[in-house]
Amino acid sequence: MLLEEERLAELVAKVLQNLRPYLNEGPTETQTASWEPRGEEGIFETVEAALKAAQEAQSRLMRLDKGARKAIISSLRQIFLENAERLARLAIEETGLGRYEDKIIKNKNAALLTPGLEDLEQKVDAGEAGMILTERGPFGLILSIEPVTNPIASPVNHGLAMIAAGNAVFFAPHPRAVRCCQEVVRLFNEGIRRAGGPANLAVTCRTANLDNVRQALASPLVNLVVATGGQALVEVALSSGKKCIAGGPGNPPVIVDETADLELAAKNITLGASFDNNLLCIAEKEVFVVESVAEAFLEAMGRQSNYLASRQEMESLTKLLVVEGRINSRFIGQNPSKILREIGVKVGDEVRLVVIEVPADHPLVFLEQLMPVLPVVKVKDFSTALKLAKEAEHGFRHTAAIYTRDFTRAAAMARVMETTLLAVNVPTYVGLGGEGIGKPTMTVAGPTGEGITTPRTYTRERNIVFGGHLTII
């Protein structure tokens, strides 16, 4: 049963209040794009019009065979690959977050590596009494609430997976990523049209605001909600009364024990923690290193493209980046050069990461900072590291990592952390297809248990049973 509109309004207001400290200066209630998307393809004035058009498009999609759907996905991959660099530039221009070159990689990975119809496995169970055929069918119309941190790769990944599964999608972007979302929707419609598919399988509104989210959550046309963002957003989505897949916050800890290959650890942690200025929720956020190898590890980090801050600089950074117990949103997704400039340190943009040695109770150990500043904590032994890693991860069950030659410790960490993803001796992004391992996703659904989301995640199980002796032996 759906919540009453008054209750939804209260919840949305609560979310806005909770999110406001994390938003940059500027309007948060409503954002209208001054840039006009070409053709207005899939872009509507009202939520109701968008949802109705998407519902009709999904009905038409299901009248096509799977070969046609495969052709649509192939066309979409091509169009997003063609536009990966332009979309990366748009993301930087609109949001001001991250690194251009890293966003190109994210955009291309989302376009090329997001699973398609091959993920929708068909099963047959036959015996003397009969046969049951199991297939994966679409939910119908999905509301996908998108984050500002990944304004291109996230809707591209979601849209490809959802449409491959036979759904239509209504995108609700962050108010600071309206232009990005509209251009992604336009390209979805152009790519689908090239393949002969129905218009409006991907839709959004001309404006982005929380009232649009409220209307979509309350609409009987929406069959599934997918929410990717912070805890407050997840709580509202889970309270909508609809089936919900939620990708909540993460604060991935890394353990480096005394058996680790320290050069490998330094290289991989730098790659993961600095990628797109640490905007990915799976990115390494804090390191616990066994004290017997701590100095050697820090020296190895210094041999990467990193800046090792002094104790005094660490204290200045703490005052700059943590304000009243919260992360200073001015520096989310910013280059190390910009962050260090604020405390009087000049470095070039080639510096990928600021490394700070901190005590175990330092606020940056426990806050999801989403910036290229990596706190490192020296610990007595592996047991202490594991205990602190568990505390720092907050029970999100999202992501963690370990560098060790003792795989029994990796197994122990997996049991204790219970995360969706544990990376062993590799950057955390590798688990999501970063180097050909795993399946790319922009939603790690820890709160609702789906884990690494794929087209299969956005489907329902459908069964048909036949009676009679159907075996051939």
Side-chain angles (χ1 to χ4, degrees):
M1 181 177 180
L2 292 176
L3 293 173
E4 296 180 351
E5 287 197 4
E6 291 81 359
R7 174 60 176 152
L8 277 172
E10 292 176 5
L11 287 167
V12 170
K14 178 183 176 183
V15 169
L16 179 60
Q17 184 64 33
N18 289 341
L19 291 180
R20 184 166 281 118
Y22 298 99
L23 299 176
N24 286 351
E25 295 179 0
T28 58
E29 294 288 349
T30 300
Q31 182 72 39
T32 302
S34 58
W35 168 88
E36 289 296 332
R38 290 169 286 173
E40 296 289 325
E41 293 177 325
I43 301 163
F44 291 82
E45 293 293 329
T46 68
V47 172
E48 182 179 11
L51 294 178
K52 286 181 177 178
Q55 183 188 53
E56 172 59 27
Q58 195 270 333
S59 296
R60 284 182 277 137
L61 176 66
M62 295 311 296
R63 292 196 286 269
L64 302 177
D65 60 26
K66 289 185 178 179
R69 205 188 310 171
K70 288 180 180 178
I72 288 171
I73 297 302
S74 178
S75 177
L76 290 172
R77 293 190 196 282
Q78 182 62 38
I79 199 168
F80 284 114
L81 282 172
E82 291 171 358
N83 288 274
E85 295 184 9
R86 184 175 66 84
L87 292 172
R89 179 62 63 193
L90 176 60
I92 292 292
E93 290 174 355
E94 184 174 21
T95 71
L97 305 178
R99 286 181 177 261
Y100 170 69
E101 62 273 19
D102 292 346
K103 289 190 183 298
I104 294 173
I105 296 172
K106 283 202 298 188
N107 294 349
K108 288 183 175 180
N109 282 350
L112 187 61
L113 301 177
T114 298
L117 276 74
E118 72 279 0
D119 192 54
L120 307 177
E121 181 181 349
Q122 183 185 69
K123 296 181 180 180
V124 176
D125 185 7
E128 293 185 1
M131 179 184 76
I132 182 167
L133 171 65
T134 302
E135 293 188 303
R136 307 301 304 185
F139 274 91
L141 176 53
I142 300 176
L143 162 62
S144 189
I145 305 172
E146 303 295 334
V148 68
T149 49
N150 297 295
I152 300 295
S154 184
V156 169
N157 169 258
H158 289 152
L160 280 169
M162 292 169 183
I163 292 171
N167 301 286
V169 54
F170 172 83
F171 289 114
H174 189 281
R176 286 174 47 214
V178 180
R179 293 168 56 195
C180 290
C181 184
Q182 290 181 345
E183 182 62 2
V184 166
V185 166
R186 190 191 72 78
L187 289 171
F188 263 112
N189 280 275
E190 182 177 329
I192 291 167
R193 184 179 65 248
R194 288 181 186 179
N200 299 320
L201 281 175
V203 297
T204 192
C205 283
R206 190 176 65 84
T207 59
N209 54 59
L210 289 169
D211 188 59
N212 285 357
V213 176
R214 178 187 64 79
Q215 290 182 52
L217 285 171
S219 172
L221 300 181
V222 171
N223 306 109
L224 174 67
V225 177
V226 177
T228 306
Q231 190 61 37
L233 172 65
V234 168
E235 288 176 4
V236 165
L238 291 173
S239 301
S240 69
K242 298 180 184 292
K243 164 72 176 176
C244 179
I245 297 170
N251 194 41
V254 185
I255 292 177
V256 179
D257 77 4
E258 70 276 14
T259 74
D261 180 332
L262 299 181
E263 293 296 334
L264 177 70
K267 174 186 175 182
N268 287 346
I269 291 170
T270 298
L271 287 171
S274 69
F275 185 77
D276 206 22
N277 286 341
N278 202 258
L279 288 174
L280 288 174
C281 56
I282 64 164
E284 295 84 343
K285 297 290 190 286
E286 64 278 337
V287 177
F288 300 98
V289 57
V290 174
E291 61 185 4
S292 63
V293 296
E295 290 304 322
F297 169 71
L298 288 169
E299 290 173 3
M301 290 294 288
R303 287 190 287 273
Q304 301 297 318
S305 300
N306 301 322
Y307 182 84
L308 301 186
S310 67
R311 180 180 180 83
Q312 183 178 352
E313 289 166 344
M314 178 273 288
E315 293 172 351
S316 298
L317 285 168
T318 302
K319 293 177 182 178
L320 177 72
L321 301 178
V322 182
V323 179
E324 297 182 353
R326 296 180 181 271
I327 292 297
N328 187 341
S329 64
R330 285 178 54 211
F331 300 102
I332 288 176
Q334 302 305 305
N335 285 359
S337 59
K338 179 177 180 179
I339 296 171
L340 289 171
R341 191 182 308 128
E342 293 288 327
I343 63 167
V345 177
K346 294 182 179 181
V347 299
D349 283 339
E350 72 279 1
V351 172
R352 298 286 300 186
L353 202 60
V354 181
V355 179
I356 57 174
E357 184 183 336
V358 299
D361 61 352
H362 193 275
L364 287 177
V365 173
F366 294 94
L367 295 172
E368 185 188 28
Q369 69 267 35
L370 300 175
M371 61 182 71
V373 176
L374 185 69
V376 176
V377 180
K378 295 179 181 178
V379 297
K380 178 181 178 182
D381 51 28
F382 170 74
S383 295
T384 305
L386 186 55
K387 178 179 180 293
L388 290 172
K390 178 73 171 178
E391 293 174 3
E393 209 270 333
H394 301 297
F396 293 144
R397 298 182 179 183
H398 198 291
T399 303
I402 183 170
Y403 287 83
T404 182
R405 289 187 173 96
D406 185 347
F407 283 7
T408 64
R409 288 182 172 180
M413 188 175 186
R415 287 192 295 270
V416 170
M417 299 299 296
E418 298 185 283
T419 50
T420 300
L421 178 64
L422 176 68
V424 182
N425 297 330
V426 293
T428 53
Y429 63 61
V430 170
L432 300 183
E435 293 182 7
I437 305 172
K439 298 178 179 180
T441 184
M442 299 306 291
T443 295
V444 177
T448 49
E450 291 81 6
I452 295 172
T453 54
T454 67
R456 181 182 177 87
T457 310
Y458 307 119
T459 62
R460 300 167 52 238
E461 183 177 291
R462 303 284 301 277
N463 298 280
I464 182 169
V465 181
F466 300 89
H469 189 85
L470 295 174
T471 60
I472 60 174
I473 298 175

